[in-house]
Amino acid sequence: MDPAQPAAENYANPKTCLFHVLFKGAALAFYILSALFFDNFVIIFVVTVLLAALDFWVVKNVSGRILVGLRWWNEINDLGESVWKFESLDQESLARMNKKDSWLFWWSLYLTAAAWIILGIFSLIRFQADYLLVVAVCLSLSIANIVGFTKCRKDAKKQFQQFASQTLASQFTSTIQSAFSVV
């Protein structure tokens, strides 16, 4: 290796990355391969949805926090209204997040949803409404994470912009004050 070349960045959290991808792959693989081994739709439905639910939970509560520093949830307030809550690390910490971890997080989210859409199209073409139900459940869990984390990322950017403008405004104010205090 050439010492002048920078070292390639490795995954900062390889175990988290593994589990981030593991349940996605397991749900997709089980759904695709189950027809070869099982003739029972109930088993296919339950196991596939269970794996997709495990994936949803791991992404929402573990890998989202560790790989991209974001977390989202939805709660019902006292008025009975649904309220989205977003949480992110501070901007300095977000800037230090591992690029490979982040890349794996976002691309695997989008590619999994795309794979479920393709499988849904195959179910439609083959007129398999029951398998379309499995795909719809798995796709809805996948899309929920995409929407939640996308909103969370936008909220984090908005918070950073507000922080930056407040910092600039206070810096400007202190500069003006110090200029007039000299005079």
Side-chain angles (χ1 to χ4, degrees):
M1 184 173 167
D2 183 14
Q5 267 187 335
E9 184 179 27
N10 290 323
Y11 292 101
N13 303 289
K15 289 179 185 175
T16 305
C17 290
L18 171 69
F19 283 101
H20 179 74
V21 175
L22 181 70
F23 290 117
K24 288 172 183 18
L28 286 165
F30 185 83
Y31 176 79
I32 293 168
L33 299 174
S34 62
L36 300 174
F37 302 107
F38 301 107
D39 195 26
N40 188 338
F41 172 75
V42 174
I43 291 174
I44 295 169
F45 180 88
V46 169
V47 173
T48 304
V49 169
L50 180 65
L51 290 168
L54 286 170
D55 171 56
F56 175 81
W57 186 88
V58 166
V59 171
K60 187 175 160 311
N61 296 307
V62 180
S63 64
R65 282 184 185 189
I66 295 172
L67 300 180
V68 291
L70 302 172
R71 183 173 162 238
W72 66 271
W73 67 97
N74 190 317
E75 60 186 35
I76 307 299
N77 66 13
D78 295 337
L79 301 173
E81 299 167 334
S82 178
V83 179
W84 286 80
K85 300 285 185 169
F86 304 106
E87 191 177 276
S88 64
L89 294 175
D90 59 80
Q91 292 304 315
E92 187 177 310
S93 299
L94 283 174
R96 287 189 306 230
M97 298 301 287
N98 183 287
K99 300 288 186 248
K100 273 190 168 182
D101 288 356
S102 179
W103 182 89
L104 176 79
F105 178 85
W106 290 107
W107 276 99
S108 63
L109 272 183
Y110 294 124
L111 290 176
T112 302
W116 285 119
I117 289 170
I118 291 168
L119 291 170
I121 292 168
F122 284 136
S123 293
L124 275 174
I125 291 170
R126 296 173 67 196
F127 298 111
Q128 294 178 321
D130 48 355
Y131 286 91
L132 189 59
L133 178 63
V134 178
V135 171
V137 171
C138 295
L139 182 61
S140 66
L141 291 171
S142 186
I143 288 175
N145 265 332
I146 290 171
V147 170
F149 281 107
T150 301
K151 286 184 175 187
C152 195
R153 183 170 59 176
K154 287 180 181 176
D155 189 62
K157 285 181 182 178
K158 186 173 73 175
Q159 287 176 357
F160 173 71
Q161 289 170 345
Q162 288 173 344
F163 173 76
S165 65
Q166 288 172 352
T167 303
L168 284 174
S170 66
Q171 190 74 354
F172 179 74
T173 305
S174 66
T175 303
I176 296 292
Q177 287 174 345
S178 65
F180 281 115
S181 66
V182 172
V183 175

